[in-house]
Amino acid sequence: MQLFYSTNISNGKIVLSKTESHHCIKVLRKSMDDTIMVVDGVGNLYSTRLIDTNAKASILEITNIQKGFRKRKNYLHIAIAPTKNMDRLEWFLEKGVEIGIDEITFIQCINSERTKINMERCNKIIMSAMKQSLKAYLPKLNLIVGFNDFIKGNHSVEAKSIGFLGTGKSMPITDIHKNKNSHIVCIGPEGDFSIEEVQLAKENGFQCISLGDSRLRTETAGVVASTLINL
């Protein structure tokens, strides 16, 4: 199944963006009356009929709507320090969305090496990953925020954890997040979280977790955490 994405939906019609229209008409060579499947990023899967083959703004007629398409059972929010190498961060976004993430926040930590993010490109990556993995929910992507501000935020979730490689007791991630319906997991930069950051997290209800015996790269830790919570 090939999915397209649009939020331009009204009066039983869907208009595809210029990019999506070009892919539909010029690349896939769809023609009049072909069935086109569209998602809106908030859980709806639309079966449509192509009624206008304009390669800049194709128009589709809705024939059926499936609500809550492949809705996940839990809500997962990954807060991650951007990697110095953007390719690695983009790899995390792609694979994390394919596995199953509902919200992503970039956090600026003491040991962070990147402070600027191309949000437009990141949004394109998660949209593409959503369609590739046949999902109808587009994860919320938040602007970069300071670690302290994020940790002190009013997070209404059942389980909050922070990955930490330093000394001290850390529990397996599954022990903290098992049988919970909403989660936040904080993944630190290449230089790890500082002792002060971990202490602040603990004071705000976060628990230290381990992702196994291996020392993982930031982007790998994000993917592993997402996988284990989605088991």
Side-chain angles (χ1 to χ4, degrees), residues 2-229:
Q2 174 75 46
L3 294 183
F4 292 85
Y5 170 73
S6 178
T7 57
N8 190 348
I9 304 169
S10 64
N11 300 320
K13 303 289 193 302
I14 297 176
V15 180
L16 297 182
S17 67
K18 182 178 179 180
T19 299
E20 292 285 80
S21 294
H22 180 271
H23 187 66
C24 179
I25 305 303
K26 297 297 185 180
V27 178
L28 298 180
R29 299 193 179 280
K30 297 294 184 179
S31 55
M32 290 290 290
D33 295 326
D34 279 353
T35 297
I36 309 296
M37 306 302 291
V38 181
V39 292
D40 59 7
V42 292
N44 297 308
L45 173 66
Y46 300 86
S47 296
T48 73
R49 181 172 66 89
L50 182 59
I51 60 174
D52 188 333
T53 56
N54 185 335
K56 294 184 178 180
S58 300
I59 301 176
L60 315 171
E61 181 181 59
I62 299 171
T63 58
N64 185 64
I65 305 174
Q66 185 175 339
K67 297 182 178 181
F69 180 69
R70 295 186 176 176
K71 183 176 177 60
R72 297 173 58 253
K73 294 181 179 179
N74 58 35
Y75 190 93
L76 174 58
H77 183 173
I78 297 289
I80 188 167
T83 54
K84 183 177 181 180
N85 185 327
M86 270 304 296
D87 289 342
R88 291 178 178 173
L89 181 63
E90 292 173 3
W91 179 85
F92 159 72
L93 292 174
E94 179 182 80
K95 302 311 174 187
V97 172
E98 290 177 4
I99 293 165
I101 292 179
D102 301 281
E103 187 172 356
I104 301 164
T105 298
F106 299 125
I107 48 176
Q108 184 70 39
C109 305
I110 290 175
N111 292 324
S112 292
E113 296 186 83
R114 174 175 289 277
T115 59
K116 295 182 179 180
I117 302 292
N118 185 334
M119 295 298 291
E120 182 179 358
R121 177 168 172 78
C122 289
N123 273 298
K124 287 180 179 179
I125 289 170
I126 66 172
M127 184 184 73
S128 177
M130 173 190 67
K131 295 188 296 180
Q132 172 65 32
S133 55
L134 303 181
K135 292 178 170 58
Y137 291 89
L138 184 68
K140 180 182 180 183
L141 186 63
N142 299 315
L143 295 171
I144 192 165
V145 63
F147 176 84
N148 290 7
D149 290 335
F150 179 81
I151 290 297
K152 294 177 181 178
N154 184 23
H155 304 296
S156 299
V157 296
E158 295 180 32
K160 301 190 294 185
S161 64
I162 180 170
F164 184 50
L165 296 173
T167 58
K169 184 179 180 181
S170 294
M171 300 179 67
I173 186 172
T174 49
D175 288 0
I176 303 299
H177 292 273
K178 186 177 181 180
N179 297 325
K180 302 295 192 304
N181 294 317
S182 54
H183 317 262
I184 290 179
V185 181
C186 294
I187 304 296
E190 285 90 335
D192 205 0
F193 291 113
S194 69
I195 297 295
E196 294 78 14
E197 287 171 331
V198 172
Q199 183 58 39
L200 180 66
K202 288 180 178 180
E203 291 170 0
N204 284 273
F206 286 76
Q207 295 178 273
C208 289
I209 55 163
S210 167
L211 295 173
D213 295 332
S214 300
R215 184 173 64 182
L216 305 177
R217 293 184 184 273
T218 295
E219 69 278 10
T220 308
V223 168
V224 170
S226 302
T227 301
L228 291 174
I229 288 177

